[in-house]
Amino acid sequence: MPNNAKNFVISSTPLRVSFAGGGTDFYDYYSKHEGALVSSTIDKDIKVTVKRHNEIFKEGFRINYSKSEIENNLENIKNDIARECIRLVGINYPLYISTISDLPDKSGLGSSSSFCVGLLNALFNLEGKKISSDELFQASIEIEINILKKPIGIQDQMAAVFGGLNFYKINKNGNLDINRFEDNSGYVINNLFKNLILIWTSIQRNSSDILNEQEKNISKNISNLHFIKNLAFEFWDLINNKPNAEKVGNLLESGWLKKVNLASKINNKEVTDLYQKCKSLGAYGGKLSGAGGGGFLLMSLEEKQIKNLIEGLNNYNKININYNPNGSRILFSE
């Protein structure tokens, strides 16, 4: 084992909420028109543990996530992200991987990309390889988009790697311009997050069908995507001018009403009914996180109204969220 290699590593990688610009991070859009997004990492994360597995166990790979896998052959690993991360980093010895997530997967908070980024970060550290944030970002795109051909954009990887509340401009060549929100007093960020709440729809969905359709529809949705991109600029201006819950809710809703036109399964009756119920209980507006179809509703309302909403939605789980300035990081390494 090389001198700088490790035996046991734990990484922590945040989940994220996207405020505006989702959909403009697809290659077919930003390569022609440039993309723009505003998102923030939150105080919910995915922790990944990787360990050199003792050969005495007679196991090539033991992987624990929502399922458990024990395989001797890399090709037989069903978790496609784990398999390709191991392959890309070049690990050829027995390996133990375990994950813990604060919130369910398939919920619109970027969990798949957070897992990918967190696992890559841990595996590179295990190997004693130092990589930059840009290299980690590119490696995660290589896995999810280039190798696994997932019909996704690049916003989830951006948030997972770089962390914080940011305005991202995606240039036509794929390079990023990142404008990080600086709030030394914490006033604006605290004021923003105290008026936000996540409502769990209890619907976990595979987003591939929605995203495949959305990707195919890009050419005929250009006007909607331009509108959504412009909202990212408006949202960033709002944040930089002391936002209030009503203005945030109105902007989130404007984006949501355009987003439902991008693919047929983004919205459904249960989501619509829950959204309207939230508004009747005092929410100004919001959006469904991620690709759509289920997951979490992100709603904006006055802090004093949150108790009323929680009591009115007694059949749904509610999650308070706070700001997390960190991207993927190594918590422990020995």
Side-chain angles (χ1 to χ4, degrees):
M1 190 168 77
N3 292 334
N4 56 346
K6 308 297 181 180
N7 183 61
F8 178 63
V9 178
I10 303 174
S11 70
S12 172
T13 307
L15 301 176
R16 63 97 187 103
V17 289
S18 177
F19 294 115
T24 71
D25 58 320
F26 281 82
Y27 175 82
D28 284 352
Y29 182 84
Y30 73 72
S31 63
K32 297 180 178 68
H33 308 285
E34 298 184 340
L37 300 103
V38 178
S39 71
S40 178
T41 43
I42 60 175
D43 62 337
K44 312 299 177 194
D45 66 12
I46 294 177
K47 292 180 176 67
V48 178
T49 297
V50 297
K51 183 183 182 300
R52 294 173 186 265
H53 204 28
N54 197 308
E55 293 182 358
I56 198 171
F57 290 101
K58 308 296 183 184
E59 298 169 352
F61 304 96
R62 178 184 284 263
I63 306 174
N64 297 318
Y65 49 109
S66 57
K67 301 177 182 177
S68 292
E69 294 189 55
I70 300 174
E71 297 290 349
N72 287 318
N73 188 335
L74 178 66
E75 301 298 333
N76 293 335
I77 294 175
K78 295 181 177 63
N79 186 309
D80 53 1
I81 289 177
R83 182 184 66 245
E84 297 308 326
C85 285
I86 295 167
R87 195 196 311 273
L88 184 143
V89 177
I91 290 176
N92 57 5
Y93 46 79
L95 187 66
Y96 179 99
I97 298 173
S98 185
T99 66
I100 302 172
S101 180
D102 287 332
L103 294 174
D105 63 352
K106 301 177 183 178
S107 59
L109 302 178
S111 59
S112 292
S113 294
S114 290
F115 170 60
C116 182
V117 167
L119 179 55
L120 283 170
N121 201 8
L123 291 177
F124 279 121
N125 191 274
L126 190 73
E127 283 284 274
K129 298 176 181 177
K130 291 186 177 181
I131 62 167
S132 67
S133 295
D134 286 335
E135 289 170 328
L136 181 58
F137 173 59
Q138 292 299 331
S140 63
I141 290 175
E142 179 66 18
I143 294 292
E144 292 198 88
I145 297 178
N146 297 336
I147 294 175
L148 295 176
K149 309 296 183 184
K150 293 183 180 292
I152 59 175
I154 61 176
Q155 67 159 313
D156 293 350
Q157 299 91 339
M158 294 189 299
V161 171
F162 299 106
L165 173 57
N166 300 307
F167 180 94
Y168 296 97
K169 178 188 173 187
I170 310 173
N171 296 300
K172 292 180 181 180
N173 60 4
N175 290 339
L176 303 178
D177 294 330
I178 304 174
N179 190 352
R180 188 179 182 91
F181 186 75
E182 300 296 342
D183 184 17
N184 294 329
S185 69
Y187 173 82
V188 173
I189 286 176
N190 289 337
N191 192 54
L192 174 66
F193 277 89
K194 75 180 183 181
N195 297 323
L196 294 174
I197 191 167
L198 288 174
I199 313 297
W200 177 233
T201 66
S202 301
I203 304 171
Q204 286 176 278
R205 79 286 177 271
N206 188 328
S207 62
S208 294
D209 289 345
I210 296 172
L211 291 170
N212 269 315
E213 183 183 354
Q214 183 176 328
E215 190 173 35
K216 291 176 182 176
N217 288 347
I218 284 176
S219 60
K220 67 179 184 181
N221 278 323
I222 290 299
S223 61
N224 286 328
L225 288 166
H226 287 345
F227 181 92
I228 288 169
K229 180 171 72 174
N230 287 335
L231 279 182
F233 290 91
E234 289 184 39
F235 200 92
W236 192 245
D237 287 341
L238 175 61
I239 288 175
N240 283 277
N241 288 281
K242 297 183 179 180
N244 60 47
E246 183 174 9
K247 290 180 179 178
V248 168
N250 289 341
L251 272 177
L252 291 176
E253 183 169 89
S254 293
W256 171 240
L257 293 176
K258 288 294 183 182
K259 181 176 179 176
V260 297
N261 297 315
L262 301 182
S264 60
K265 296 179 181 179
I266 287 178
N267 201 7
N268 56 54
K269 185 179 186 302
E270 184 170 351
V271 169
T272 297
D273 289 347
L274 178 57
Y275 187 90
Q276 293 303 324
K277 179 70 172 176
C278 288
K279 293 197 71 174
S280 73
L281 292 168
Y284 291 117
K287 56 170 287 191
L288 198 63
S289 293
F296 283 99
L297 273 175
L298 175 68
M299 303 302 297
S300 178
L301 66 165
E302 302 291 348
E303 185 181 19
K304 62 186 179 183
Q305 290 292 108
I306 288 179
K307 182 180 178 182
N308 182 53
L309 183 141
I310 288 173
E311 291 174 351
L313 296 176
N314 59 327
N315 294 327
Y316 291 89
N317 292 110
K318 283 74 62 176
I319 306 293
N320 291 309
I321 54 173
N322 288 300
Y323 176 63
N324 176 7
N326 300 304
S328 184
R329 57 201 173 109
I330 301 299
L331 295 182
F332 181 82
S333 179
E334 71 169 13

